[in-house]
């Protein structure tokens, strides 16, 4: 019985390993062409600088984007549009 439980647990871990790899494979910085497009989107929305941009879960996550009014946001972009802006404290 103990061996059956161990085998089942090992099988479950091996089955989920490819899923973890696929999820992390999405996390990447933008290519130069993507960065140009993202910069245009951010500048049009009044942002002048940001710390980091990364593709994660199918959306671009922009960390610490500084707006022209001085406020700092985390911004999500998908499909060429800003879909979320969280004001940093």
């Amino acid at each position: 019985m103990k061996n059956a439980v161990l085998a089942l647990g090992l099988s479950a871990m091996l089955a989920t390993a490819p899923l973890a790899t696929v999820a992390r494979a999405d996390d990447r910085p933008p290519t130069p062409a993507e960065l140009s497009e993202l910069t245009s989107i951010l500048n049009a929305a009044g942002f002048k600088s940001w710390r980091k941009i990364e593709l994660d879960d199918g959306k671009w996550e922009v960390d610490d984007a500084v707006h022209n009014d001085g406020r700092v946001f985390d911004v999500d972009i998908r499909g060429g549009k800003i879909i979320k802006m969280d004001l940093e404290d």
Side-chain angles (χ1 to χ4, degrees):
M1 179 70 168
K2 187 176 180 180
N3 287 338
V5 171
L6 182 61
L8 183 60
L10 183 58
S11 295
M13 286 188 329
L14 292 174
T16 59
L19 296 177
T21 303
V22 170
R24 281 192 298 260
D26 194 31
D27 297 350
R28 65 171 179 83
T31 65
E34 292 167 333
L35 181 58
S36 177
E37 179 182 357
L38 293 165
T39 297
S40 294
I41 293 166
L42 290 163
N43 289 157
F47 291 97
K48 59 184 178 180
S49 65
W50 42 89
R51 187 174 57 84
K52 179 178 153 189
I53 301 176
E54 179 179 70
L55 182 64
D56 187 22
D57 294 329
K59 67 180 180 297
W60 292 103
E61 296 180 351
V62 183
D63 293 334
D64 301 333
V66 180
H67 195 269
N68 288 329
D69 64 10
R71 295 182 298 165
V72 179
F73 295 84
D74 284 341
V75 179
D76 290 349
I77 300 172
R78 179 179 281 144
K81 296 180 183 176
I82 293 175
I83 59 169
K84 184 177 177 185
M85 292 178 20
D86 288 330
L87 183 62
E88 290 291 302
D89 296 328

